[in-house]
């Protein structure tokens, strides 16, 4: 019996990217609105991408099986 292909979670696919070593990257929250009260250094840091926390890596791997 042939195995069925798994579908990637389209919402997760738009938000996360896998690195060469297999970890997932995400964007930081807080850069959408109320930007006038945040200083330039803080907004610059919020623009960076960071590695997803280790406990969440396994669940992301299930959502994005072929990434």
């Amino acid at each position: 019996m042939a195995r069925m292909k798994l579908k990637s979670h389209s919402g997760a696919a738009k938000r996360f990217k896998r690195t060469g070593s297999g970890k997932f990257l995400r964007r930081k929250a807080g850069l959408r609105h109320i930007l006038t009260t945040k200083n330039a250094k803080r907004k610059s840091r919020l623009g960076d991408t960071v590695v997803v926390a280790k406990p969440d890596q396994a669940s992301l791997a299930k959502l994005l099986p072929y990434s």
Side-chain angles (χ1 to χ4, degrees), residues 3-4 6 8 17 34 64:
R3 292 192 133 207
M4 298 286 290
L6 298 174
S8 292
K17 184 173 85 168
I34 317 176
L64 302 170

Side-chain angles (χ1 to χ4, degrees), residues 32-64:
R32 289 294 184 179
H33 61 108
I34 317 176
L35 299 175
T36 54
T37 60
K38 298 170 186 166
N39 62 37
K41 183 179 178 182
R42 180 175 169 191
K43 287 186 277 192
S44 179
R45 283 196 313 258
L46 287 173
D48 293 338
T49 56
V50 290
V51 176
V52 172
K54 192 160 186 162
D56 299 324
Q57 296 274 348
S59 56
L60 267 178
K62 288 181 182 176
L63 291 175
L64 302 170

